[in-house]
């Protein structure tokens, strides 16, 4: 697979890129060890980091506009599409990806309203993948509510997911930007490959850390990366800035997903809106499991292998005990902190502003979130 598209750094030394045996290239920034160390220090020393609500307040008017665009663009003359669309909108969510697009666009001095449309279509791509994911995984609960497939059935969910995808591309085309179309065409293709790779890894205890990191790059980080780069393009930023911000998005998305996988074994289901051990139930070997399988005792390894192969949560208690005993959760959390530090280092390409501060706070949120 060729990962030589724009927005990646041949000099990037982060562990995720190394683990995937993929080198990312973007001219104008070298992710040196010193920059990574500076980023970690900055992550530790952020004074009174903003809450998510405070970050959102920086672009509150834009977020309201995005919500209006989402509702308008989801409208269809087909009643079932409208019903499922309303189910999706009512489900809420943190809207991190649109927030990222808006903050990057404002930090780059965007003019006009194209970034509003971009934030909405980035959220549409995310929504479409969730509709498809829930069908593939057989999920019944998301954000504390029944999934669309649970309420309307698998066929309707898949087809409406297709509608949301195609509507996103209509919105992209309306911007008349070849660069935006290229970024998003590449991103959605990589995301689709990630879905297939995750399916291949399911119930496979031989899944390696490299394979796992490849999946989370494709399924999660790639859309963050694309959203940040699209925002910079729409603001007319120079290539080095665009590429640095794409790298910021990639590291941010990776950090967020690593923590999300930790929370699958250490969180409050009522607060998070998902059942504890959902990944294990689906036979997904995430990083805490992979680390425990590599470092556990023979008995622990046997329990984990059996749990991954069979799926379900019958072995949840001994598996969680093995993960805790081997430091699997802390290992994944430490890698997330390293990724967030890399994200912070990328922000050196931006002039100081409240929006840049918001992006720095978003990197901190990625490692601190609990839902």
């Amino acid at each position: 697979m060729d990962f030589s598209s724009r927005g990646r750094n041949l000099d990037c030394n982060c562990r995720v890129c190394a683990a995937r045996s993929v080198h990312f290239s973007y001219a104008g920034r070298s992710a040196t060890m010193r920059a990574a160390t500076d980023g970690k220090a900055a992550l530790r020393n952020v004074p009174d980091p903003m809450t998510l609500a405070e970050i959102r307040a920086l672009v509150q008017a834009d977020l309201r506009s995005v919500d209006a665009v989402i509702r308008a663009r989801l409208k269809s003359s087909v009643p079932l599409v409208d019903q499922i669309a309303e189910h999706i909108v009512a489900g809420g969510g943190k809207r991190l990806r649109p927030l990222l697009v808006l903050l990057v666009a404002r930090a780059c001095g965007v003019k006009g309203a194209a970034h509003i449309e971009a934030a909405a279509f980035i959220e549409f791509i995310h929504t479409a993948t969730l509709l498809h994911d829930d069908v593939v995984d057989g999920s019944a609960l998301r954000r504390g509510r029944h999934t669309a497939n649970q309420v309307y059935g698998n066929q309707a969910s898949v087809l409406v997911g297709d509608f949301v995808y195609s509507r996103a591309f209509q919105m992209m085309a309306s911007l008349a930007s070849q660069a935006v179309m290229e970024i998003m065409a590449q991103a959605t293709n990589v995301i689709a490959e990630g879905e297939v790779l995750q399916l291949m890894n399911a119930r496979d205890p031989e899944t390696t850390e490299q394979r796992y990191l490849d999946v989370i790059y494709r399924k999660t980080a790639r859309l963050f990366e694309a959203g940040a780069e699209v925002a910079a393009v729409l603001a007319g930023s120079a290539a080095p800035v665009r590429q640095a911000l794409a790298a910021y998005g990639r590291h941010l998305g990776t950090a967020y997903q690593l923590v999300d996988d930790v929370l699958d074994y250490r969180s409050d289901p009522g607060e998070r809106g998902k059942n504890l051990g959902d990944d294990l139930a689906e036979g997904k070997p995430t990083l805490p499991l992979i680390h425990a399988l590599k470092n556990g005792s023979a008995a622990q390894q046997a329990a984990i292998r059996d749990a991954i192969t069979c799926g379900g949560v019958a072995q949840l208690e001994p598996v969680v005990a093995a993960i805790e005993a081997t430091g699997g959760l802390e290992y994944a959390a430490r890698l997330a902190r390293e990724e967030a530090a890399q994200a912070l280092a990328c922000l050196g390409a931006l002039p100081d502003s409240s929006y840049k501060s918001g992006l720095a706070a978003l990197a901190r949120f990625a490692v601190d979130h609990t839902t």
Side-chain angles (χ1 to χ4, degrees):
M1 178 57 57
D2 178 13
F3 286 91
S4 60
S5 62
R6 82 172 132 274
R8 301 178 185 139
N9 188 357
L10 285 170
D11 298 322
C12 185
N13 295 317
C14 78
R15 294 174 61 195
V16 170
C17 296
R20 286 200 310 269
S21 298
V22 175
H23 300 285
F24 298 117
S25 72
Y26 59 88
R29 175 185 169 272
S30 175
T32 62
M33 292 305 295
R34 183 181 62 78
T37 301
D38 290 347
K40 290 176 187 176
L43 195 64
R44 288 194 302 270
N45 298 321
V46 174
D48 300 321
M50 285 184 271
T51 64
L52 184 59
E54 290 169 334
I55 299 170
R56 291 172 61 86
L58 296 171
V59 287
Q60 194 60 55
D62 281 351
L63 284 169
R64 285 195 294 268
S65 297
V66 171
D67 286 342
V69 169
I70 286 173
R71 286 188 174 276
R73 299 292 189 270
L74 281 177
K75 284 292 182 185
S76 168
S77 59
V78 178
L80 184 57
V81 172
D82 269 352
Q83 291 172 31
I84 297 181
E86 182 57 36
H87 181 85
I88 295 166
V89 171
K94 291 182 281 291
R95 299 268 172 91
L96 287 183
R97 293 154 190 83
L99 178 59
L100 167 66
V101 173
L102 298 175
L103 286 170
V104 169
R106 290 297 183 185
C108 293
V110 71
K111 306 295 183 184
H115 65 299
I116 302 296
E117 200 82 0
F121 70 60
I122 289 289
E123 182 68 3
F124 277 16
I125 295 295
H126 175 56
T127 298
T129 63
L130 293 185
L131 284 166
H132 290 166
D133 273 356
D134 287 341
V135 172
V136 172
D137 297 338
S139 300
L141 193 67
R142 183 176 290 278
R143 299 169 185 156
R145 302 173 73 246
H146 288 303
T147 55
N149 54 295
Q150 183 76 4
V151 176
Y152 298 99
N154 288 341
Q155 292 175 319
S157 291
V158 168
L159 294 173
V160 172
D162 292 343
F163 167 84
V164 176
Y165 254 128
S166 61
R167 181 53 55 87
F169 273 89
Q170 284 182 324
M171 295 162 69
M172 293 171 211
S174 73
L175 297 181
S177 168
Q178 181 66 22
V180 168
M181 290 299 295
E182 288 178 3
I183 292 165
M184 294 309 303
Q186 292 166 3
T188 52
N189 188 256
V190 170
I191 291 166
E193 289 178 328
E195 299 287 353
V196 177
L197 284 175
Q198 180 170 267
L199 191 62
M200 292 169 63
N201 287 350
R203 300 181 185 256
D204 181 3
E206 303 305 320
T207 298
T208 63
E209 183 171 326
Q210 176 181 333
R211 284 166 57 188
Y212 160 80
L213 291 171
D214 194 18
V215 167
I216 68 169
Y217 166 68
R218 293 169 185 267
K219 276 182 55 68
T220 302
R222 188 66 180 90
L223 189 57
F224 280 84
E225 180 182 56
E229 187 175 8
V230 162
V233 166
L234 293 174
S237 299
V241 176
R242 285 169 47 182
Q243 294 156 359
L245 290 169
Y248 166 84
R250 179 174 70 249
H251 291 300
L252 177 74
T254 302
Y256 186 84
Q257 186 59 53
L258 284 163
V259 172
D260 210 50
D261 290 345
V262 167
L263 293 176
D264 196 59
Y265 296 98
R266 183 193 285 167
S267 65
D268 179 349
E271 181 183 359
R272 190 169 176 235
K274 291 178 67 177
N275 296 317
L276 205 64
D278 269 357
D279 288 340
L280 184 66
E282 295 162 9
K284 291 180 182 177
T286 55
L287 190 57
L289 274 180
I290 293 167
H291 182 81
L293 187 56
K294 181 179 179 181
N295 295 280
S297 66
Q300 289 170 331
Q301 290 176 353
I304 294 169
R305 283 180 175 278
D306 184 61
I308 293 173
T309 302
C310 299
V313 292
Q315 301 256 26
L316 181 60
E317 188 173 336
V319 165
V320 171
I323 291 172
E324 294 278 7
T326 57
L329 297 178
E330 177 51 36
Y331 177 74
R334 185 168 66 250
L335 183 53
R337 291 192 294 272
E338 291 176 5
E339 286 295 304
Q342 291 278 353
L344 278 176
C346 294
L347 295 179
L350 289 173
D352 289 342
S353 69
S354 60
Y355 305 113
K356 178 180 177 178
S357 297
L359 289 167
L362 202 58
R364 182 62 182 263
F365 173 80
V367 296
D368 288 345
H369 77 278
T370 59
T371 61

